[in-house]
Amino acid sequence: MTFRQFAFRNVTRNKRLYTAYFLSSMFTVMVFFTFAIFAYRPVLSAENLQSSAVLGLSVSKWIIYVFSFFFVLYSMSAFLQSRKREFGLMMMQGMTTRQLRGMIFWENMLIGLGATAGGIGLGMVFAKGILLAGTNALALKEPLQFYFPIKAILLTLISFMLLFILISLFISAVLRSGKLITLIKANSQPKQEPKASVLLSLLVVLLLGTSYFLSLRASGLNVVMLLAPVAVMVIIGTYLLFTQLSVYLIRKLKGRERFFWRRTNMLLLSDLSYRMKDNARSFFLVAIISTVSFSAIGALYGFQSMLNGALTQKNPYLFTYMSADGDSQAQAHIQLIDQSLSKAGIAAEKTGLQLNYYQAADSSQTLILVKQSEYNHVAKLMGLKSIRLTAGKAAIVDFGLSRKGEEMLHQPVKLQQGIVIEADQAVVSPAVRAFSGYYVVADELIDRLSQPLKVSRYYAWHGAIGQQGVQNVGGKLTNELPYDEHYNFYALEYQTSKINENFGPLMFMGFFIGIVFFVSAGSFLYFRLYSDLDEDRQKFKAISKLGLSDKELGKILNRQIGLLFFAPIVVALVHGAVALTALSHMFQYSMFRESLIVLGLFFFIQVIYFFIVRLFYTRQIRSALAGS
């Protein structure tokens, strides 16, 4: 038997450990290959697709590639830790450190070659369906026909074989054999009692509680400002949650004698603190990676839902136009809009208001005032809430994400005429598109003021969303009418369709990257579980001699595997739910339905994964007990 045959038999003999590694690597290769297929399609050139989308597809491909490097590196490290005893026995039989490194190199290369070939093969099998999905996601005018992707195959084959060669060389170079007796007794080394700091455990509650509170209370652009500090607090808090607070709570449970001695709790809790401490880093990685995956896909799905429905519902107009008062060219533009709507048979009612600009008396601040009657007329036509003013006070109105009005509340401003304007209410309203920080005041107040510095006229055409021909008319007028500081035309449905075209590639890329992250997170849990299999076999074999029933064994294994699989995922689901809630506050749009669908789907997948892994793991334990 040659040395390479020996390495091949080692891989087949350890297929229990290598299966998840092989399948996850193969899936990663398949996703990379899918992006490569898209990248080399002539239809996806800058002529048919936004250049940013073409660049995004290419960047996403290499993001997956870089992530694959660290994933494979982590996986190999986990395998080596679980095979120390095997390495010790080999070295006791005369294997040198150089031969050991060579064996690991060839084992990893065999897995890498198989995963690369399998990923390319799977990519070819599902290529037609993926190209069809890509046509819809990228909003292409012509379908992506199947072709034989020679360039994509070569790129994937060269890239991943290079990756596996680098990983194999790196692992072989840094591998330390250690003392022979240490390797042989690697699985039976005594462990120190895990300790947890009370202060660090309390810090977990403080960090996560503060980050959740800030995220749930923030709104508008404040969500973006809090993103970095909240992310840092969540990362630190999550790490301490698994390394400190979990161990502290387990020790407290072990101290409650009635609970500890009840049925099989003693067997579960006796080494649970050790497991939590050993798996803390894996749990932390899984929780953070899954949080990123949940948040990214949930945010993209929610944003798409908002674009396709909420954006038009919260901005109930077909067209808007703004210009300087008394401009003859503006009158020609308005006439063109009216004629275009009439010619296309589109039902719409025109309304508008006047924006009056005044200079503050003691500063360079310019105030924009709108009559209450004009604002309420526009709001009533669009189905918006009217503004009721307190005597002598004003309301300040924002559009979209801006919260400028909240900062300007109860701050009196004196105009040159000696009249004081003070807002006692802040309103978020789409009545005047893309305009924030204007005051709605009583009509008589504006009548008392002198001529404003300047006046702008705002027009809105209100009508039913989804009328035939609206997008075409909007696109034609957008190209014909000027858009600058003097004239501003906006066609809602046309602009929404353009946003969807640009958003499609982002949704497509984010979905694939999120799935890769989630699959990798599940693989981390699989690696950790099966790295302890030999130790669990010995433990349950010894306990079974004391009278452990088959039913009690099943209960212990269910709890043990359940904690491993669901502890980090539940934490990630909570993080993701808070993140998506904060995002909904940012856009003033409820993403509850979208969040529930995304988080529920991922949880359902994890439950299925749990049952599959539990079946095989329990079978391994029972076979060990049957053979004792």
Side-chain angles (χ1 to χ4, degrees), residues 293-311:
S293 178
F294 299 161
S295 301
I297 294 180
L300 291 171
Y301 179 49
F303 192 56
Q304 185 184 49
S305 174
M306 184 177 68
L307 285 176
N308 292 332
L311 185 62

Side-chain angles (χ1 to χ4, degrees), residues 529 554 557-566 603-618:
L529 178 66
L557 289 176
N558 282 339
R559 292 179 180 180
Q560 182 175 298
I561 302 171
L563 282 172
L564 177 68
F565 266 77
F566 292 111
F603 184 76
F604 178 71
I605 294 172
Q606 188 71 8
V607 169
I608 294 176
Y609 192 28
F610 162 75
F611 280 114
I612 294 173
V613 172
R614 187 195 66 169
L615 174 65
F616 288 102
Y617 191 81
T618 305

Side-chain angles (χ1 to χ4, degrees), residues 91-106:
M91 294 183 70
M92 189 170 65
Q93 296 296 324
M95 178 177 283
T96 65
T97 302
R98 183 177 179 181
Q99 289 175 324
L100 179 63
R101 290 174 177 172
M103 181 191 73
I104 293 172
F105 174 85
W106 285 112

Side-chain angles (χ1 to χ4, degrees), residues 75-270:
S75 305
M76 282 303 300
S77 300
F79 292 147
L80 296 181
Q81 289 294 325
S82 64
R83 296 176 63 192
K84 280 186 175 181
R85 186 170 182 273
E86 177 187 342
F87 295 158
L89 293 173
M90 289 180 180
M91 294 183 70
M92 189 170 65
Q93 296 296 324
M95 178 177 283
T96 65
T97 302
R98 183 177 179 181
Q99 289 175 324
L100 179 63
R101 290 174 177 172
M103 181 191 73
I104 293 172
F105 174 85
W106 285 112
E107 285 182 4
N108 197 40
M109 287 306 301
L110 286 169
I111 291 291
L113 181 61
T116 303
I120 293 175
L122 275 179
M124 292 293 291
V125 170
F126 296 107
K128 180 62 179 178
I130 293 171
L131 289 172
L132 180 61
T135 301
N136 297 326
L138 300 176
L140 297 176
K141 297 179 181 179
E142 57 180 288
L144 295 173
Q145 300 296 335
F146 178 78
Y147 75 110
F148 194 76
I150 298 177
K151 290 184 178 180
I153 291 174
L154 291 176
L155 176 67
T156 305
L157 184 62
I158 294 172
S159 299
F160 274 88
M161 288 314 300
L162 179 62
L163 181 145
F164 282 107
I165 289 173
L166 291 175
I167 291 292
S168 302
L169 290 173
F170 179 78
I171 289 292
S172 300
V174 301
L175 179 66
R176 295 181 179 179
S177 58
K179 294 182 180 180
L180 186 59
I181 189 65
T182 304
L183 291 173
I184 294 176
K185 293 187 176 182
N187 296 334
S188 58
Q189 294 290 330
K191 298 179 181 179
Q192 295 182 350
E193 176 72 18
K195 297 181 180 180
S197 168
V198 178
L199 292 178
L200 291 178
S201 299
L202 292 174
L203 184 60
V204 174
V205 180
L206 178 63
L207 288 173
L208 294 183
T210 303
S211 62
Y212 288 171
F213 177 79
L214 292 175
S215 299
L216 296 176
R217 290 294 301 271
S219 62
L221 295 176
N222 290 332
V223 176
V224 180
M225 296 174 62
L226 290 171
L227 180 61
V230 166
V232 172
M233 286 192 292
V234 167
I235 290 172
I236 297 174
T238 304
Y239 182 77
L240 294 177
L241 170 67
F242 292 117
T243 58
Q244 300 294 325
L245 182 59
S246 61
V247 176
Y248 176 78
L249 293 177
I250 292 168
R251 291 189 66 183
K252 283 293 182 181
L253 288 175
K254 290 169 69 174
R256 298 178 59 181
E257 293 188 6
R258 288 188 61 184
F259 179 80
F260 182 70
W261 290 100
R262 184 181 179 184
R263 297 181 180 176
T264 59
N265 288 345
M266 180 183 67
L267 298 178
L268 177 66
L269 295 174
S270 59

